[in-house]
Amino acid sequence: MIQLRPLLEVKDLKKYYPIRKGLFGRVSGQVHAVDGVSFSIGQGETLGLVGESGCGKSTAGRTVLKLIDPTSGEISWRGKRIDGLSRVSMRPFRQEIQAVFQDPYSSLNPRMRAIDIVSEPLINFQKFSRSEGRDQVAYLFEKVGLRPDQMIRFPHEFSGGQRQRLGIARALSVKPRLIMCDEPVSALDVSVQAQVINLLIDLQKEFGLSYLFVAHDLAVVRHISHRVAVMYLGRIVEIAETPELFDSPKHPYTEALLSAVPIPDPALRRTQIVLQGDVPSPINRPAGCHFHTRCPYAQERCRKEEPGARELSPGHLVTCHFPVNAK
Ligand code: SF4
């Protein structure tokens, strides 16, 4: 098992959105977007956060970065609590924790040239002069596989993959320790996806970066992550090292998700587990285990009693009364 010093520690993180009704905005309920999520990320480690759309993985990632204020819970960065910090007090940490988003086009100012997009945080945080910034941007362009002569272009003059490289260069510019990648390749063609993922892996090796990698594509997550956390209805239902999770999933939801991933070998076959019904509403979640309405192994106990997280083997946590593939 990889033992890495945690850079980021998240404990019992919650993000609820109140539902207001009527003239006086009375709170009539809560959307439980993130509900008691705990994990840590070590130096040079990638934690994949996966789940169906609407499971709360992106909200969890953005809350960890304090782009969204948490409802409760602890977020510690290199041993220091940051969950209660104001936007101004967060400034020194912003340099160390950066983000790359799904749609690079909407996250890049269309009126700015590439050089200004990449050098903006560089100048803001490190007080570089414009000429020093230019050299640094040329270096970053090279690192992410862009040509320095492309620095004067506008975002619309780049392809989707190049725009994502631009977003990565911008995130890298302030020498972060951790980058939250929120579905960074899901808008790209498959061949370009592989190039961007391999670029992220190379940059991790070169700069010792850590990633919180939020995605729904399990094949992509498997390729880049050291550990994987699976989310369902705002909670982590299973977390383990990548080979163990993919070879021997213990939560019925993880098992079903993995059964749908194609195997690149025509000689091998796997029975797909088709989950019945839709994901329940995060406003009115089922009692007991929130997955019991769709779980093929549900028993009476599951309908009444909420399962807690259990460590089935070192570092392999599962939130289920009756784990599958358990000895
Ligand atoms: Fe399925 Fe019961 Fe486990 Fe929930 S606790 S995942 S319903 S077996």
Side-chain angles (χ1 to χ4, degrees), residues 250-253 288-299 301-303 305-307 318-324:
K250 299 284 189 278
H251 195 281
Y253 178 60
C289 171
H290 297 335
F291 186 56
H292 85 251
T293 51
R294 304 173 77 201
C295 179
Y297 307 100
Q299 300 184 31
R301 184 180 170 195
C302 309
R303 288 179 250 284
E305 199 184 316
E306 203 174 309
V318 183
T319 308
C320 174
H321 293 307
F322 308 106
V324 293

Side-chain angles (χ1 to χ4, degrees), residues 10-320:
V10 176
K11 285 187 196 157
D12 203 19
L13 187 71
K14 294 181 182 171
K15 180 62 196 176
Y16 297 167
Y17 292 98
I19 301 163
R20 297 184 187 278
K21 271 192 182 162
L23 194 58
F24 301 105
R26 187 176 56 84
V27 176
S28 62
Q30 306 266 11
V31 178
H32 302 86
V34 178
D35 192 19
V37 160
S38 302
F39 60 81
S40 64
I41 303 179
Q43 173 85 44
E45 185 184 30
T46 300
L47 177 73
L49 203 52
V50 294
E52 287 166 291
S53 106
C55 71
K57 55 189 188 302
S58 287
T59 308
R62 285 165 193 238
T63 310
V64 164
L65 257 71
K66 295 264 295 152
L67 299 176
I68 303 172
D69 285 328
T71 303
S72 66
E74 293 181 14
I75 307 167
S76 302
W77 176 251
R78 299 168 68 197
K80 225 176 171 183
R81 289 276 297 272
I82 59 168
D83 44 271
L85 296 184
S86 66
R87 286 189 195 281
V88 175
S89 314
M90 265 302 287
R91 210 175 137 75
F93 299 98
R94 289 256 173 264
Q95 191 175 332
E96 298 195 314
I97 316 172
Q98 288 287 304
V100 171
F101 295 102
Q102 175 180 2
D103 181 357
Y105 197 54
S106 64
S107 60
L108 303 175
N109 187 336
R111 293 199 188 90
M112 284 171 80
R113 292 187 188 275
I115 183 170
D116 297 321
I117 288 171
V118 176
S119 65
E120 189 183 44
L122 199 67
I123 291 162
N124 280 350
F125 280 112
Q126 302 193 338
K127 301 182 179 66
F128 269 52
S129 68
R130 238 161 235 292
S131 59
E132 287 167 331
R134 190 183 178 88
D135 292 344
Q136 186 65 9
V137 174
Y139 164 77
L140 288 165
F141 261 54
E142 218 171 285
K143 283 286 155 205
V144 300
L146 294 170
R147 294 191 317 274
D149 65 271
Q150 295 173 308
M151 290 197 300
I152 53 163
R153 291 189 185 174
F154 287 98
H156 72 268
E157 295 176 275
F158 290 91
S159 68
Q162 286 175 329
R163 280 200 290 267
Q164 197 54 290
R165 287 172 190 270
L166 203 54
I168 294 168
R170 182 182 159 93
L172 272 184
S173 66
V174 287
K175 301 194 172 95
R177 286 168 173 261
L178 182 135
I179 300 179
M180 194 277 287
C181 305
D182 187 1
E183 299 273 10
V185 295
S186 54
L188 306 176
D189 293 340
V190 176
S191 60
V192 183
Q193 282 187 7
Q195 291 169 15
V196 172
I197 291 294
N198 289 334
L199 170 66
L200 287 170
I201 293 172
D202 290 345
L203 293 171
Q204 179 171 53
K205 284 183 193 148
E206 184 167 353
F207 298 112
L209 292 167
S210 304
Y211 297 130
L212 173 58
F213 195 91
V214 178
H216 68 276
D217 187 328
L218 285 156
V220 168
V221 167
R222 181 179 199 167
H223 188 60
I224 194 169
S225 307
H226 298 103
R227 287 186 300 134
V228 176
V230 180
M231 281 188 76
Y232 185 77
L233 270 185
R235 292 185 175 171
I236 290 178
V237 295
E238 182 162 10
I239 183 165
E241 293 207 12
T242 307
E244 186 164 334
L245 187 119
F246 278 82
D247 292 345
S248 179
K250 299 284 189 278
H251 195 281
Y253 178 60
T254 314
E255 185 189 45
L257 284 185
L258 294 182
S259 76
V261 178
I263 307 173
D265 182 346
L268 293 174
R269 293 201 179 275
R270 151 160 83 193
T271 313
Q272 186 174 348
I273 301 165
V274 181
L275 293 176
Q276 302 301 320
D278 294 326
V279 180
S281 160
I283 303 168
N284 295 311
R285 297 166 304 170
C289 171
H290 297 335
F291 186 56
H292 85 251
T293 51
R294 304 173 77 201
C295 179
Y297 307 100
Q299 300 184 31
E300 197 48 35
R301 184 180 170 195
C302 309
R303 288 179 250 284
K304 294 178 181 155
E305 199 184 316
E306 203 174 309
R310 286 197 284 155
E311 191 166 22
L312 295 187
S313 57
H316 194 157
L317 277 92
V318 183
T319 308
C320 174

